[in-house]
mmCIF file of all heavy atoms in Angstrom:
data_model
loop_
_atom_site.group_PDB
_atom_site.id
_atom_site.type_symbol
_atom_site.label_atom_id
_atom_site.label_comp_id
_atom_site.label_asym_id
_atom_site.label_seq_id
_atom_site.Cartn_x
_atom_site.Cartn_y
_atom_site.Cartn_z
ATOM 1 N N CYS M 1 0.847 -1.184 0.000
ATOM 2 C CA CYS M 1 0.000 0.000 0.000
ATOM 3 C C CYS M 1 0.888 1.242 0.000
ATOM 4 O O CYS M 1 2.056 1.189 0.409
ATOM 5 C CB CYS M 1 -0.954 0.005 1.185
ATOM 6 S SG CYS M 1 -0.183 0.021 2.826
ATOM 7 N N ALA M 2 0.320 2.345 -0.481
ATOM 8 C CA ALA M 2 1.075 3.576 -0.627
ATOM 9 C C ALA M 2 0.173 4.765 -0.361
ATOM 10 O O ALA M 2 -1.041 4.695 -0.580
ATOM 11 C CB ALA M 2 1.672 3.668 -2.025
ATOM 12 N N ALA M 3 0.781 5.876 0.082
ATOM 13 C CA ALA M 3 0.045 7.088 0.425
ATOM 14 C C ALA M 3 0.629 8.292 -0.304
ATOM 15 O O ALA M 3 1.857 8.432 -0.383
ATOM 16 C CB ALA M 3 0.093 7.326 1.937
ATOM 17 N N ALA M 4 -0.258 9.143 -0.823
ATOM 18 C CA ALA M 4 0.151 10.354 -1.540
ATOM 19 C C ALA M 4 -0.459 11.558 -0.833
ATOM 20 O O ALA M 4 -1.677 11.626 -0.665
ATOM 21 C CB ALA M 4 -0.312 10.296 -2.983
ATOM 22 N N ALA M 5 0.377 12.528 -0.469
ATOM 23 C CA ALA M 5 -0.083 13.693 0.295
ATOM 24 C C ALA M 5 -0.225 14.925 -0.587
ATOM 25 O O ALA M 5 0.432 15.054 -1.612
ATOM 26 C CB ALA M 5 0.895 13.984 1.419
ATOM 27 N N GLY M 6 -1.086 15.830 -0.145
ATOM 28 C CA GLY M 6 -1.119 17.163 -0.738
ATOM 29 C C GLY M 6 -1.974 17.335 -1.966
ATOM 30 O O GLY M 6 -1.751 18.233 -2.753
ATOM 31 N N PHE M 7 -2.990 16.478 -2.141
ATOM 32 C CA PHE M 7 -3.852 16.595 -3.303
ATOM 33 C C PHE M 7 -5.299 16.749 -2.861
ATOM 34 O O PHE M 7 -5.618 16.620 -1.702
ATOM 35 C CB PHE M 7 -3.683 15.373 -4.215
ATOM 36 C CG PHE M 7 -2.275 15.206 -4.732
ATOM 37 C CD1 PHE M 7 -1.373 14.377 -4.065
ATOM 38 C CD2 PHE M 7 -1.843 15.881 -5.859
ATOM 39 C CE1 PHE M 7 -0.078 14.228 -4.523
ATOM 40 C CE2 PHE M 7 -0.549 15.734 -6.318
ATOM 41 C CZ PHE M 7 0.341 14.912 -5.649
ATOM 42 N N GLY M 8 -6.177 17.023 -3.811
ATOM 43 C CA GLY M 8 -7.579 17.233 -3.489
ATOM 44 C C GLY M 8 -8.267 15.976 -3.030
ATOM 45 O O GLY M 8 -7.741 14.874 -3.118
ATOM 46 N N THR M 9 -9.487 16.150 -2.563
ATOM 47 C CA THR M 9 -10.205 15.039 -1.952
ATOM 48 C C THR M 9 -10.671 13.994 -2.952
ATOM 49 O O THR M 9 -11.059 12.900 -2.546
ATOM 50 C CB THR M 9 -11.424 15.550 -1.181
ATOM 51 O OG1 THR M 9 -12.273 16.256 -2.097
ATOM 52 C CG2 THR M 9 -11.012 16.466 -0.058
ATOM 53 N N ARG M 10 -10.645 14.291 -4.257
ATOM 54 C CA ARG M 10 -11.118 13.329 -5.253
ATOM 55 C C ARG M 10 -10.009 12.749 -6.122
ATOM 56 O O ARG M 10 -10.276 11.967 -7.020
ATOM 57 C CB ARG M 10 -12.166 13.978 -6.148
ATOM 58 C CG ARG M 10 -13.399 14.446 -5.396
ATOM 59 C CD ARG M 10 -14.486 14.902 -6.332
ATOM 60 N NE ARG M 10 -15.045 13.784 -7.089
ATOM 61 C CZ ARG M 10 -16.028 13.017 -6.646
ATOM 62 N NH1 ARG M 10 -16.567 13.212 -5.460
ATOM 63 N NH2 ARG M 10 -16.486 12.013 -7.407
ATOM 64 N N ALA M 11 -8.744 13.123 -5.853
ATOM 65 C CA ALA M 11 -7.635 12.660 -6.688
ATOM 66 C C ALA M 11 -7.335 11.181 -6.437
ATOM 67 O O ALA M 11 -7.287 10.732 -5.286
ATOM 68 C CB ALA M 11 -6.397 13.491 -6.390
ATOM 69 N N VAL M 12 -7.144 10.449 -7.544
ATOM 70 C CA VAL M 12 -6.753 9.037 -7.499
ATOM 71 C C VAL M 12 -5.553 8.877 -8.428
ATOM 72 O O VAL M 12 -5.566 9.401 -9.541
ATOM 73 C CB VAL M 12 -7.902 8.121 -7.967
ATOM 74 C CG1 VAL M 12 -7.457 6.651 -7.913
ATOM 75 C CG2 VAL M 12 -9.134 8.327 -7.114
ATOM 76 N N PHE M 13 -4.552 8.144 -7.992
ATOM 77 C CA PHE M 13 -3.329 8.022 -8.772
ATOM 78 C C PHE M 13 -3.047 6.570 -9.133
ATOM 79 O O PHE M 13 -3.126 5.684 -8.282
ATOM 80 C CB PHE M 13 -2.152 8.607 -7.994
ATOM 81 C CG PHE M 13 -2.369 10.022 -7.589
ATOM 82 C CD1 PHE M 13 -2.686 10.343 -6.289
ATOM 83 C CD2 PHE M 13 -2.304 11.034 -8.530
ATOM 84 C CE1 PHE M 13 -2.913 11.652 -5.904
ATOM 85 C CE2 PHE M 13 -2.532 12.343 -8.170
ATOM 86 C CZ PHE M 13 -2.842 12.656 -6.858
ATOM 87 N N THR M 14 -2.680 6.352 -10.401
ATOM 88 C CA THR M 14 -2.464 5.003 -10.903
ATOM 89 C C THR M 14 -1.000 4.714 -11.202
ATOM 90 O O THR M 14 -0.677 3.608 -11.636
ATOM 91 C CB THR M 14 -3.289 4.771 -12.179
ATOM 92 O OG1 THR M 14 -2.857 5.698 -13.190
ATOM 93 C CG2 THR M 14 -4.777 4.987 -11.914
ATOM 94 N N THR M 15 -0.115 5.687 -10.974
ATOM 95 C CA THR M 15 1.320 5.472 -11.166
ATOM 96 C C THR M 15 2.019 5.659 -9.830
ATOM 97 O O THR M 15 1.465 6.237 -8.888
ATOM 98 C CB THR M 15 1.898 6.457 -12.193
ATOM 99 O OG1 THR M 15 1.709 7.796 -11.710
ATOM 100 C CG2 THR M 15 1.206 6.306 -13.542
ATOM 101 N N THR M 16 3.260 5.200 -9.730
ATOM 102 C CA THR M 16 3.960 5.224 -8.446
ATOM 103 C C THR M 16 4.457 6.615 -8.055
ATOM 104 O O THR M 16 4.624 6.916 -6.867
ATOM 105 C CB THR M 16 5.165 4.272 -8.473
ATOM 106 O OG1 THR M 16 6.066 4.684 -9.522
ATOM 107 C CG2 THR M 16 4.725 2.849 -8.722
ATOM 108 N N ARG M 17 4.660 7.482 -9.045
ATOM 109 C CA ARG M 17 5.355 8.745 -8.774
ATOM 110 C C ARG M 17 4.708 9.632 -7.706
ATOM 111 O O ARG M 17 5.419 10.217 -6.886
ATOM 112 C CB ARG M 17 5.544 9.527 -10.070
ATOM 113 C CG ARG M 17 6.352 10.775 -9.906
ATOM 114 C CD ARG M 17 6.765 11.363 -11.226
ATOM 115 N NE ARG M 17 7.615 12.526 -11.050
ATOM 116 C CZ ARG M 17 8.194 13.186 -12.048
ATOM 117 N NH1 ARG M 17 8.005 12.814 -13.288
ATOM 118 N NH2 ARG M 17 8.949 14.236 -11.794
ATOM 119 N N PRO M 18 3.361 9.787 -7.681
ATOM 120 C CA PRO M 18 2.787 10.695 -6.674
ATOM 121 C C PRO M 18 2.871 10.192 -5.231
ATOM 122 O O PRO M 18 2.645 10.954 -4.295
ATOM 123 C CB PRO M 18 1.320 10.811 -7.087
ATOM 124 C CG PRO M 18 1.285 10.340 -8.494
ATOM 125 C CD PRO M 18 2.350 9.304 -8.582
ATOM 126 N N TYR M 19 3.164 8.909 -5.067
ATOM 127 C CA TYR M 19 3.112 8.320 -3.728
ATOM 128 C C TYR M 19 4.405 8.585 -2.952
ATOM 129 O O TYR M 19 5.499 8.323 -3.432
ATOM 130 C CB TYR M 19 2.830 6.819 -3.826
ATOM 131 C CG TYR M 19 1.441 6.529 -4.326
ATOM 132 C CD1 TYR M 19 1.197 6.279 -5.672
ATOM 133 C CD2 TYR M 19 0.352 6.532 -3.444
ATOM 134 C CE1 TYR M 19 -0.096 6.045 -6.131
ATOM 135 C CE2 TYR M 19 -0.941 6.287 -3.902
ATOM 136 C CZ TYR M 19 -1.148 6.046 -5.249
ATOM 137 O OH TYR M 19 -2.428 5.815 -5.693
ATOM 138 N N ASP M 20 4.219 9.082 -1.727
ATOM 139 C CA ASP M 20 5.354 9.466 -0.886
ATOM 140 C C ASP M 20 5.771 8.369 0.084
ATOM 141 O O ASP M 20 6.933 8.302 0.475
ATOM 142 C CB ASP M 20 4.987 10.718 -0.074
ATOM 143 C CG ASP M 20 4.513 11.863 -0.952
ATOM 144 O OD1 ASP M 20 5.341 12.395 -1.705
ATOM 145 O OD2 ASP M 20 3.311 12.206 -0.875
ATOM 146 N N TYR M 21 4.816 7.571 0.505
ATOM 147 C CA TYR M 21 5.071 6.593 1.559
ATOM 148 C C TYR M 21 4.591 5.221 1.109
ATOM 149 O O TYR M 21 3.536 5.100 0.469
ATOM 150 C CB TYR M 21 4.368 7.003 2.859
ATOM 151 C CG TYR M 21 4.722 8.398 3.297
ATOM 152 C CD1 TYR M 21 3.830 9.440 3.122
ATOM 153 C CD2 TYR M 21 5.961 8.672 3.881
ATOM 154 C CE1 TYR M 21 4.155 10.725 3.509
ATOM 155 C CE2 TYR M 21 6.294 9.958 4.273
ATOM 156 C CZ TYR M 21 5.392 10.975 4.083
ATOM 157 O OH TYR M 21 5.714 12.249 4.459
ATOM 158 N N TRP M 22 5.364 4.198 1.515
ATOM 159 C CA TRP M 22 5.076 2.823 1.112
ATOM 160 C C TRP M 22 5.171 1.878 2.305
ATOM 161 O O TRP M 22 6.014 2.066 3.189
ATOM 162 C CB TRP M 22 6.068 2.365 0.035
ATOM 163 C CG TRP M 22 5.912 3.087 -1.253
ATOM 164 C CD1 TRP M 22 6.402 4.322 -1.561
ATOM 165 C CD2 TRP M 22 5.192 2.640 -2.403
ATOM 166 N NE1 TRP M 22 6.036 4.666 -2.842
ATOM 167 C CE2 TRP M 22 5.300 3.647 -3.388
ATOM 168 C CE3 TRP M 22 4.482 1.476 -2.713
ATOM 169 C CZ2 TRP M 22 4.714 3.533 -4.645
ATOM 170 C CZ3 TRP M 22 3.909 1.360 -3.970
ATOM 171 C CH2 TRP M 22 4.025 2.382 -4.921
ATOM 172 N N GLY M 23 4.321 0.867 2.310
ATOM 173 C CA GLY M 23 4.429 -0.183 3.297
ATOM 174 C C GLY M 23 5.430 -1.233 2.832
ATOM 175 O O GLY M 23 5.843 -1.235 1.675
ATOM 176 N N PRO M 24 5.822 -2.141 3.718
ATOM 177 C CA PRO M 24 6.820 -3.165 3.390
ATOM 178 C C PRO M 24 6.288 -4.249 2.470
ATOM 179 O O PRO M 24 7.076 -4.953 1.828
ATOM 180 C CB PRO M 24 7.211 -3.735 4.751
ATOM 181 C CG PRO M 24 6.025 -3.489 5.608
ATOM 182 C CD PRO M 24 5.425 -2.193 5.142
ATOM 183 N N GLY M 25 4.963 -4.416 2.411
ATOM 184 C CA GLY M 25 4.378 -5.405 1.516
ATOM 185 C C GLY M 25 3.897 -6.648 2.225
ATOM 186 O O GLY M 25 4.378 -7.007 3.304
ATOM 187 N N ALA M 26 2.928 -7.323 1.604
ATOM 188 C CA ALA M 26 2.384 -8.584 2.109
ATOM 189 C C ALA M 26 2.306 -9.576 0.960
ATOM 190 O O ALA M 26 1.825 -9.241 -0.129
ATOM 191 C CB ALA M 26 0.993 -8.366 2.702
ATOM 192 N N GLN M 27 2.740 -10.795 1.216
ATOM 193 C CA GLN M 27 2.755 -11.819 0.167
ATOM 194 C C GLN M 27 1.360 -12.417 -0.007
ATOM 195 O O GLN M 27 0.722 -12.820 0.977
ATOM 196 C CB GLN M 27 3.738 -12.933 0.513
ATOM 197 C CG GLN M 27 3.774 -14.068 -0.489
ATOM 198 C CD GLN M 27 4.372 -13.656 -1.828
ATOM 199 O OE1 GLN M 27 5.433 -13.030 -1.866
ATOM 200 N NE2 GLN M 27 3.707 -14.026 -2.922
ATOM 201 N N VAL M 28 0.921 -12.483 -1.242
ATOM 202 C CA VAL M 28 -0.311 -13.175 -1.611
ATOM 203 C C VAL M 28 0.060 -14.257 -2.614
ATOM 204 O O VAL M 28 0.652 -13.959 -3.649
ATOM 205 C CB VAL M 28 -1.341 -12.212 -2.215
ATOM 206 C CG1 VAL M 28 -2.528 -12.990 -2.789
ATOM 207 C CG2 VAL M 28 -1.808 -11.208 -1.172
#
């Protein structure tokens, strides 16, 4: 999972660049 800060309430991002923070990941 990833989090992107500083955008409007309806913004959705489909590329990695806007995301500032990342979790370590979970194996599926």
Side-chain angles (χ1 to χ4, degrees):
C1 61
F7 300 94
T9 59
R10 299 188 68 86
V12 180
F13 304 104
T14 62
T15 61
T16 60
R17 185 168 183 175
Y19 292 95
D20 305 292
Y21 306 104
W22 293 81
Q27 177 69 48
V28 171

